[in-house]
């Protein structure tokens, strides 16, 4: 596959896409933007819902790849998740297949495996093929998205890298995030690797920095050419002084998905 140049970024008005809009152009991409909300400072962005199949067909036409970030990013009713994340992601894949787009980078989430116990002490890192254990309807939709990606690869030869993102924010803001944080710069490195690696078929990777307290195995991400450069450890002293160490008796501390397992944040905030 020739290196992609024109990339459709869905969810372009969101937090992660806003960070990526600042970083990905340095890698040489021309970004086409899509979101149900207007994108600040980007009047050229397509403002449309993932439910709008015609708008999707037009938006994906002629792009070399898609970074699919649009959707409900927290917990919501099953009906809302069904519409935006499950049907919406299906609509995007169908449009991409019909228009011959060769690759999608799908924003999956750690919440597809959120009920997995967090490794403690010397326990091995969580492998990428650990059984899916969604912690919310939201996590369930990400698990569906990974299956959808596998199906479109097997059936239609449309490639995907599914990135089980940890927490991609400018800084880690909780003790759990020390283990799952992905710096925005590492996020851009990982998306670039996912867009350019050869012959990915459907590859699933965890998305995080090279954190000292890392919980999962980054082997499949590194195999794409991803070399994380950041580590959350410089933030550890302050966060632990403020909040204390993780308590293994607390379900919100004991699972990969953190508080999503027992008290998930609800969409919209
Ligand atoms: P966000 O909530 O800030 O952005 C999501 C964007 O999708 C919003 O701008 C929203 O308007 C748009 N959107 C929602 N429903 C839509 C629809 N039906 N049609 C078109 N656009 C729609 O979320 P954030 O943090 O930027 O995350 C982006 C993606 O990455 C999401 O899919 C999220 O699930 C995933 N993710 C993010 C993580 C993070 O640390 N930021 C961690 C794990 C996964
Ligand atoms: C996610 O999947 C959410 O979209 C994001 O807002 C964070 O909550 C992140 O997971 C996390 O686990 O910290």
């Amino acid at each position: 596959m020739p290196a992609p140049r024109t990339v459709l970024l869905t969810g372009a008005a969101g937090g992660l896409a806003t960070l990526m809009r600042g970083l990905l152009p340095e890698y040489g991409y021309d970004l086409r933007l899509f979101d149900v909300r207007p994108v600040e400072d980007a009047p050229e962005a397509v403002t449309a819902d993932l439910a709008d199949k015609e708008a999707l067909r037009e938006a994906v036409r002629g792009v070399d790849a898609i970074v699919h970030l649009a959707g409900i990013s927290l917990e919501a009713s099953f009906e809302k998740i069904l519409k935006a994340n499950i049907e919406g992601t299906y609509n995007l894949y169908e449009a991409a297949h019909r228009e011959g787009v060769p690759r999608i980078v799908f924003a999956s989430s750690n919440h597809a495996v959120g009920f997995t116990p967090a490794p403690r002490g010397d326990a091995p890192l969580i492998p990428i093929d650990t059984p899916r254990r969604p912690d919310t309807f939201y996590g369930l939709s990400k698990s569906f998205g990974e299956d959808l990606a596998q199906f479109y690869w097997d059936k239609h030869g449309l490639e995907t890298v599914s990135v089980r993102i940890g927490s991609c924010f400018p800084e880690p803001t909780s003790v759990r995030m020390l283990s799952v944080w992905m710096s925005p710069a590492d996020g851009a490195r990982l998306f670039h690797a996912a867009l350019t690696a050869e012959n990915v078929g459907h590859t699933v990777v965890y998305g995080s920095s090279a954190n000292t307290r890392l919980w999962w195995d980054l082997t499949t991400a590194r195999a794409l050419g991803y070399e994380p450069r950041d580590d959350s450890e410089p933030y550890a002293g302050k966060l632990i002084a403020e909040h204390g160490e993780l308590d293994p008796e607390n379900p919100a501390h004991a699972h990969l998905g953190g508080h999503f397992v027992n008290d998930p944040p609800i969409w919209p905030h």
Side-chain angles (χ1 to χ4, degrees), residues 98-113:
R98 298 278 167 206
E99 294 295 335
V101 180
R103 183 170 303 180
I104 294 177
V105 178
F106 168 58
S108 183
S109 170
N110 69 87
H111 298 291
V113 292

Side-chain angles (χ1 to χ4, degrees), residues 168-232:
C168 190
F169 298 98
E171 290 186 5
T173 54
S174 69
V175 177
R176 166 182 169 266
M177 275 200 207
L178 295 172
S179 296
V180 302
W181 184 58
M182 179 161 73
S183 72
D186 278 343
R189 284 181 194 108
L190 179 51
F191 286 136
H192 176 56
L195 286 165
T196 50
E198 297 283 340
N199 302 322
V200 298
H202 177 223
T203 298
V204 186
V205 306
Y206 291 112
S208 68
S209 289
N211 301 316
T212 300
R213 295 161 197 254
L214 192 66
W215 280 343
W216 48 53
D217 183 1
L218 291 177
T219 301
T220 56
R222 288 182 188 277
L224 299 175
Y226 171 55
E227 286 178 26
R229 294 203 195 145
D230 294 319
D231 182 344
S232 60

Side-chain angles (χ1 to χ4, degrees), residues 246-259:
L246 294 178
D247 169 9
E249 299 305 316
N250 179 344
H253 293 187
H255 297 92
L256 294 194
H259 61 297

Side-chain angles (χ1 to χ4, degrees), residues 10-18 34-37 48-51 68-74 83-85 88 106-111 138 142 163-169 267 269:
T10 74
L16 181 52
T18 301
F34 182 103
D35 201 292
V36 72
R37 297 185 289 155
D49 199 290
L50 289 169
H68 179 42
L69 306 184
I72 291 176
S73 59
L74 301 170
K83 191 96 193 125
N85 290 17
F106 168 58
S108 183
S109 170
N110 69 87
H111 298 291
Y138 165 68
K142 296 301 186 180
V163 185
R164 287 183 189 159
I165 304 168
S167 300
C168 190
F169 298 98
W267 170 278
H269 302 271

